[in-house]
């Protein structure tokens, strides 16, 4: 019985050491997540925002061009109406 208890105590001691290693590794992984991965995710998000702003600025002239095109069409229609009234 004493030999069995000694074996159990040795096994528990080994488990405690293994658990300490797991805790240490978990802390190491958490530090990596906090110090590296979160920072890199933040950088990617900031870059995405900059790209989105740049895209909006790049699309702005095309939006203005579309508005001008609509205005020109309206003016053409108005001129046709004026010409038809003048020529009649």
């Amino acid at each position: 019985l004493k030999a069995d208890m000694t074996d159990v105590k040795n096994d528990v001691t080994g488990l405690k050491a293994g658990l300490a290693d797991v805790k240490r590794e978990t802390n190491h992984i958490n530090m990596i997540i906090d110090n590296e991965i979160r920072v890199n995710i933040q950088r990617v998000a900031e870059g995405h925002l900059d790209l989105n702003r740049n895209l909006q600025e790049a699309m702005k002239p095309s939006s203005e061009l579309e508005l001008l095109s609509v205005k020109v069409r309206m003016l053409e229609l108005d001129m046709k109406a004026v010409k038809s009234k003048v020529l009649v």
Side-chain angles (χ1 to χ4, degrees):
L1 185 61
K2 286 184 181 182
D4 288 341
M5 284 303 290
T6 303
D7 289 342
V8 169
K9 285 182 182 179
N10 289 337
D11 289 345
V12 169
T13 303
L15 288 174
K16 285 182 180 179
L19 182 60
D21 290 341
V22 169
K23 285 182 179 180
R24 201 171 316 116
E25 188 66 27
T26 303
N27 287 337
H28 179 69
I29 291 170
N30 285 338
M31 287 176 48
I32 289 172
I33 289 172
D34 287 341
N35 296 334
E36 294 178 20
I37 295 175
R38 286 188 183 174
V39 171
N40 290 338
I41 289 173
Q42 184 177 2
R43 287 180 186 150
V44 168
E46 288 171 357
H48 176 73
L49 288 175
D50 289 339
L51 287 174
N52 191 27
R53 284 188 208 116
N54 290 342
L55 177 63
Q56 293 299 325
E57 288 178 19
M59 291 179 62
K60 195 174 187 179
S62 67
S63 299
E64 292 175 6
L65 184 63
E66 287 178 24
L67 288 173
L68 288 174
S69 177
V70 169
K71 288 180 180 181
V72 167
R73 283 189 211 126
M74 290 174 58
L75 288 172
E76 286 175 345
L77 290 174
D78 289 346
M79 284 306 296
K80 283 182 183 179
V82 169
K83 282 182 181 180
S84 67
K85 287 181 181 179
V86 169
L87 294 176
V88 172

